[in-house]
Amino acid sequence: MNSNKKPEEASMVLRPKARILKTLGEELISSETVALIELVKNAYDADARNVLIRFEGELKKGEGAISVIDDGHGMDDNTIQNSWMVIATDKKKTQRKSKSGNRRLLGEKGVGRFSAARIAEELDLITRPTESDTEFYAFFDWRQFDNPDLFLDEIEFLMEERAPETIVNSWPLEGYLDGDEVFKGQGTVVRMNSLKHTWESKDLKELQRGLSRLISPFNSISDFNIYIEMPDAYGEFSSQVEPPEIIKYPHYIVNGSVDSKGKYRFDVTVEAKGKKESFEGYFISRYRDGVWEVFSLETEADLQHSNDKLRYLECGQLNFKLRVWDRDELDNVMQKIGVGVRSVRKDLDAIAGINIYRDGFRVLPYGEPNNDWLRLDLRRVQNPTRNLSNNQITGYISITADGNPGLHDRSNREGLDQNTAYSDLANIMHFVLTKLETIRYIEKRSSKNQKNIEKPGQGNLFSSPDFGSIKKVLVDEQAKPGEAIGLINKVESDWNRKVQTFKSVISQYHALATLGGIVDKVLHDGRQPLATIQTEAGLGKEITEELIGSLPDISPGQISDFKSVDIGLGRIIDQANILRDVFRRVEPFGGRKRGRPKKYYIEDVIKDTFSIYDRDFKSTGVRVQIPSSQTLVSVDITELSEILTNLITNSIYWLNSVPRGQRKIKVMVSRLSGDSLEIVFADTGPGIKEEHRNHIFEPYFSDREGGHGLGLCLVGEIAKDYYNGSVELLDTGKNNGAVFRIVLNKRV
């Protein structure tokens, strides 16, 4: 017997069970609304001008019917057999344009039509192709797929060619044609019988809302109309699907675009003032702190000659339109729509969210209720005074399948793959929203009467309430009755608002204090192991050096091994020394109780603080010039380090937006008359816009994505409260860059 004889080869094939279609139809499509939207998209791909969703009978489980009727080009028997009946066909992927050549096809996975199985037990397909004297009828019973014993190729459907019975002059769409439209003798009816779900008012509202946002409300496709027709019991839902009227009356408007090279331009319009501010530049993506972030350059980047961890954006070209409301100031909307504030806010809730549209049609689930895909509500928690929440915004981002190949669907047709291109898209929108929020913050501040605001950097956060006007009224014998009460109420109201600001700021201080305690713990627990590492590595290095020089019979290979150990121990010592220096520099930020200010040379304190950021300076190409003089001062290292740290981190961020060779920071120190000390901190970044200069020291004001707006506020508070000093932004004239002057008047 030949044990090496191979068994007879045989081929095998995969045979899917019939119930796989149940997965495609029912489980892959998350809701009935999504299923109907998929069928509407098919009508669009068929060059339909009109599509009607008709509900019939009792809308209860096991009863009733829903028909999707369109006047598209229809299908012949070959198309039904070889396209409509083929699962996962790639026809729409290889054939990018519709039959007319005027539309970009929306479907690519080849499974959207099977969403009908999500809605009902049975399906009647009736279709009449262009210029045909016949129509085709097919019947599908989805219950066949519940049989666990049947394979997919054992399921059969009936189809017949017949004289037109349904798609004729008197068919349902006739009543929806415009005056200049005529029946073309073509179209498709997808009738789903025996519903799997009982439809209630909330479901119909959800469908109406979903369809109203299917086509972009800002850039509607004029040759595609959607209608809903309901039984008399639900007549309120019978209408043409249109965007809500509230969309016409926002408080702020943002319109913009980004091209394939990252060049952007967008405008922010403040409707109440007719004021428009424009932004333009080039987006680039930078790797920092373990993540890629988008930032702006004034000129196009040449990455071939860059040492930064940079890359071009991968999301592709896009357009975007946003509409934003202040939900506490809706009088203009109520005036136009003629309803109360509760109804207006309800309408805002219904349309809230930023949608994504590909080739004019919506990509779900972006912009759906509770789909805060940009995490705007989380951003607002971090800075509630300034940041917008998801329910204040509606808008759209327009992409195309051809122009944005990186933004492609997940396999379940709901949402985009969360890849690098998706991350770039989200980061772009955060950048745009940050600019909008800055403008909105300034406008809201300027709209209030704040004549008595203290100068920036002079401690306005913790200033006491002004009782001067009340005192004046109380001593005025001719004062009107109740005038003092009115002023007291006003001061009380102002003070209550300030208390809320206190609470928010103190929560930030509390977080910093907690962090200080953690720093102390790390320093305390880390120093002993670090000292042991340094000592043992040093002893080991001494031993290896002695062995290399003292053993006469040691072989060349062994010498090489000892030298490798010696080099490795040297590296351990070097790295331990670096860690020791880091501990020393971080120590001032610990949470231990501060003593009285001690005498230091301020230039050395500045040098130590800057050294913490050596790696950042090197990676970003920032050149630093700090004073080499020796100025002895009495200062608290922690307080001065906090001032410098906030200024340094701001500068590093903004210097990234200018060419690498132009990035510089310079610090100067000088004694003034008396006991005062002056520190000038300057960078060569883009500078601070004129309209922002009066706000940069206010708590929560920030023009950078992710900024808390507390840095410069804290700088001003430290200078004012601890040193009776000040911080001011100097006028740099026509030169770019920001220059801050810090004056310390006591304890120095």
Side-chain angles (χ1 to χ4, degrees):
M1 182 175 182
N2 186 358
S3 60
N4 295 324
K5 184 179 179 180
K6 295 181 179 180
E8 185 178 349
E9 294 182 352
S11 62
M12 297 182 292
V13 295
L14 291 172
R15 293 189 68 198
K17 288 284 190 176
R19 63 186 180 208
I20 192 174
L21 201 62
K22 184 181 182 70
T23 300
L24 290 173
E26 289 193 54
E27 298 177 7
L28 204 58
I29 305 297
S30 63
S31 70
E32 285 72 17
T33 292
V34 172
L36 284 173
I37 286 175
E38 288 298 323
L39 295 174
V40 171
K41 287 181 179 180
N42 283 348
Y44 177 82
D45 288 346
D47 286 315
R49 179 178 175 83
N50 303 289
V51 59
L52 169 65
I53 301 175
R54 169 185 268 186
F55 288 73
E56 303 173 63
E58 292 289 327
L59 305 184
K60 297 180 180 179
K61 183 177 180 179
E63 302 181 38
I66 303 174
S67 297
V68 178
I69 307 166
D70 72 67
D71 57 2
H73 51 59
M75 295 178 284
D76 57 22
D77 57 343
N78 180 63
T79 304
I80 296 173
Q81 288 277 8
N82 298 312
S83 292
W84 210 86
M85 287 294 298
V86 176
I87 300 173
T89 175
D90 65 348
K91 181 178 179 181
K92 291 184 180 181
K93 203 166 186 177
T94 57
Q95 178 185 327
R96 298 296 181 90
K97 295 290 185 180
S98 65
K99 193 172 183 178
S100 68
N102 296 326
R103 292 178 178 173
R104 175 61 163 82
L105 296 178
L106 300 177
E108 289 186 353
K109 306 294 184 184
V111 297
R113 68 189 70 95
F114 296 104
S115 61
R118 169 83 191 203
I119 296 173
E121 300 285 4
E122 302 172 355
L123 169 66
D124 292 317
L125 173 66
I126 308 148
T127 183
R128 181 177 176 182
T130 306
E131 299 179 353
S132 174
D133 294 330
T134 61
E135 67 182 20
F136 295 90
Y137 168 76
F139 174 74
F140 300 83
D141 186 349
W142 302 118
R143 285 169 291 217
Q144 294 182 79
F145 298 97
D146 293 331
N147 188 335
D149 298 325
L150 291 179
F151 287 91
L152 191 60
D153 57 6
E154 295 176 327
I155 303 292
E156 295 183 353
F157 298 99
L158 300 175
M159 184 180 72
E160 66 173 346
E161 184 176 3
R162 67 189 188 190
E165 298 177 10
T166 302
I167 305 176
V168 294
N169 281 326
S170 59
W171 79 320
L173 270 181
E174 182 182 33
Y176 295 94
L177 300 179
D178 292 338
D180 59 345
E181 289 185 272
V182 295
F183 174 63
K184 297 179 181 179
Q186 64 186 44
T188 298
V189 177
V190 178
R191 178 184 169 90
M192 294 156 282
N193 305 300
S194 187
L195 302 177
K196 291 184 176 180
H197 169 75
T198 297
W199 286 74
E200 301 175 351
S201 293
K202 63 180 180 63
D203 303 305
L204 297 172
K205 289 178 182 178
E206 173 68 15
L207 174 63
Q208 198 172 51
R209 188 195 60 79
L211 290 172
S212 71
R213 301 171 75 177
L214 176 59
I215 304 174
S216 168
F218 308 112
N219 190 26
S220 295
I221 301 172
S222 59
D223 63 346
F224 189 68
N225 305 304
I226 305 173
Y227 304 93
I228 299 177
E229 186 177 299
M230 303 294 301
D232 291 341
Y234 298 95
E236 62 184 291
F237 298 104
S238 295
S239 64
Q240 180 174 358
V241 176
E242 293 179 325
E245 189 180 4
I246 194 174
I247 204 77
K248 302 175 185 177
Y249 311 113
H251 296 138
Y252 304 89
I253 296 175
V254 182
N255 294 327
S257 63
V258 182
D259 71 12
S260 58
K261 295 182 179 180
K263 184 178 182 180
Y264 71 85
R265 178 184 171 86
F266 63 91
D267 302 318
V268 178
T269 302
V270 183
E271 287 288 278
K273 296 186 177 180
K275 175 183 175 182
K276 180 186 291 186
E277 187 168 346
S278 299
F279 302 87
E280 58 184 0
Y282 290 84
F283 284 131
I284 201 75
S285 192
R286 172 184 62 186
Y287 190 76
R288 184 180 181 187
D289 297 332
V291 297
W292 287 96
E293 60 181 9
V294 166
F295 70 100
S296 172
L297 298 176
E298 295 179 354
T299 57
E300 186 174 2
D302 182 6
L303 300 191
Q304 294 180 348
H305 303 91
S306 174
N307 295 322
D308 288 341
K309 294 181 179 180
L310 304 176
R311 63 169 174 79
Y312 294 113
L313 300 189
E314 297 183 14
C315 59
Q317 64 188 45
L318 54 97
N319 297 304
F320 52 88
K321 294 181 184 289
L322 307 178
R323 303 292 184 266
V324 177
W325 289 263
D326 291 318
R327 291 177 66 101
D328 56 345
E329 300 176 9
L330 296 171
D331 299 87
N332 65 310
V333 184
M334 293 187 288
Q335 177 190 18
K336 282 291 186 180
I337 300 180
V339 297
V341 66
R342 293 182 63 183
S343 295
V344 172
R345 288 175 178 164
K346 188 176 180 181
D347 288 344
L348 283 179
D349 291 338
I351 66 171
I354 298 178
N355 308 273
I356 299 177
Y357 293 85
R358 182 194 288 113
D359 295 301
F361 263 77
R362 192 160 167 229
V363 180
L364 290 172
Y366 306 105
E368 286 291 282
N370 303 317
N371 179 253
D372 183 14
W373 66 281
L374 288 173
R375 300 186 178 183
L376 301 185
D377 291 338
L378 180 61
R379 287 176 77 252
R380 181 173 173 81
V381 169
Q382 296 170 349
N383 195 338
T385 303
R386 179 178 172 276
N387 290 350
L388 293 162
S389 58
N390 192 58
N391 67 357
Q392 293 178 262
I393 306 175
T394 188
Y396 87 95
I397 302 168
S398 176
I399 61 176
T400 64
D402 296 331
N404 309 86
L407 297 172
H408 48 74
D409 289 341
R410 297 176 179 175
S411 59
N412 65 359
R413 300 179 62 81
E414 290 191 55
L416 303 170
D417 278 339
Q418 295 192 14
N419 52 19
T420 303
Y422 178 89
S423 177
D424 287 346
L425 176 65
N427 287 334
I428 286 173
M429 297 316 299
H430 286 154
F431 180 93
V432 172
L433 287 172
T434 298
K435 299 302 180 186
L436 165 62
E437 288 162 343
T438 299
I439 292 173
R440 175 176 171 268
Y441 177 91
I442 293 173
E443 291 300 324
K444 289 180 74 69
R445 296 282 290 182
S446 63
S447 66
K448 298 177 181 179
N449 183 10
Q450 296 184 342
K451 297 179 181 179
N452 297 320
I453 293 180
E454 297 182 51
K455 294 181 180 180
Q458 300 302 311
N460 56 16
L461 178 61
F462 297 111
S463 58
S464 301
D466 181 11
F467 294 101
S469 57
I470 299 175
K471 293 177 182 177
K472 184 177 180 181
V473 170
L474 291 176
V475 299
D476 187 356
E477 296 180 355
Q478 298 182 354
K480 297 178 181 179
E483 188 173 352
I485 295 298
L487 290 173
I488 292 172
N489 290 336
K490 182 180 183 304
V491 170
E492 181 184 22
S493 178
D494 292 343
W495 184 245
N496 286 335
R497 283 195 296 270
K498 178 160 282 191
V499 167
Q500 295 303 314
T501 304
F502 289 163
K503 290 179 179 179
S504 188
V505 173
I506 288 172
S507 69
Q508 298 286 340
Y509 283 147
H510 183 268
L512 293 175
T514 302
L515 180 60
I518 294 172
V519 168
D520 271 341
K521 181 66 174 174
V522 170
L523 295 177
H524 180 269
D525 293 350
R527 277 202 171 101
Q528 182 58 48
L530 178 61
T532 302
I533 291 171
Q534 289 177 300
T535 302
E536 296 298 330
L539 290 173
K541 185 171 173 57
E542 290 178 7
I543 293 172
T544 55
E545 289 173 349
E546 291 177 1
L547 286 173
I548 292 172
S550 62
L551 294 178
D553 299 329
I554 192 168
S555 67
Q558 290 174 315
I559 290 176
S560 177
D561 291 340
F562 276 119
K563 284 184 176 180
S564 296
V565 173
D566 183 66
I567 292 171
L569 290 170
R571 289 174 179 168
I572 292 175
I573 294 171
D574 291 341
Q575 296 302 311
N577 289 336
I578 292 174
L579 192 56
R580 178 200 61 199
D581 290 341
V582 170
F583 278 17
R584 180 173 57 83
R585 292 164 187 163
V586 171
E587 187 172 18
F589 297 97
R592 299 198 176 189
K593 185 177 180 180
R594 303 172 186 175
R596 296 181 60 184
K598 299 179 181 179
K599 294 188 182 299
Y600 299 98
Y601 289 104
I602 193 169
E603 291 84 358
D604 290 343
V605 178
I606 294 172
K607 182 180 178 181
D608 284 346
T609 305
F610 269 80
S611 66
I612 298 173
Y613 297 91
D614 282 344
R615 184 171 297 179
D616 297 272
F617 295 142
K618 184 176 181 180
S619 65
T620 56
V622 175
R623 288 178 289 168
V624 174
Q625 182 179 344
I626 56 179
S628 58
S629 54
Q630 294 292 317
T631 307
L632 187 62
V633 298
S634 177
V635 69
D636 186 292
I637 291 182
T638 300
E639 294 161 358
L640 184 59
S641 296
E642 287 174 355
I643 290 175
L644 292 171
T645 295
N646 281 295
L647 295 174
I648 292 170
T649 53
N650 276 345
S651 287
I652 291 175
Y653 178 86
W654 290 110
L655 283 168
N656 277 290
S657 62
V658 301
R660 189 179 180 91
Q662 300 177 17
R663 303 172 185 174
K664 299 178 184 177
I665 296 176
K666 183 177 182 179
V667 181
M668 295 168 282
V669 175
S670 60
R671 279 284 187 186
L672 302 178
S673 59
D675 296 329
S676 297
L677 183 74
E678 177 187 71
I679 303 172
V680 176
F681 186 104
D683 66 37
T684 57
I688 297 172
K689 295 181 179 180
E690 183 64 33
E691 59 268 28
H692 296 170
R693 295 175 67 89
N694 291 332
H695 300 281
I696 60 173
F697 293 98
E698 296 175 3
Y700 302 115
F701 178 84
S702 178
D703 194 30
R704 55 179 284 189
E705 168 57 25
H708 294 289
L710 287 174
L712 290 178
C713 174
L714 292 175
V715 168
E717 295 300 334
I718 292 171
K720 173 69 167 57
D721 293 343
Y722 297 131
Y723 295 93
N724 192 29
S726 63
V727 180
E728 59 181 317
L729 176 66
L730 300 183
D731 187 358
T732 58
K734 297 181 180 180
N735 299 321
N736 287 335
V739 180
F740 292 93
R741 178 175 181 261
I742 303 110
V743 177
L744 309 180
N745 291 319
K746 70 176 184 179
R747 300 170 65 199
V748 292

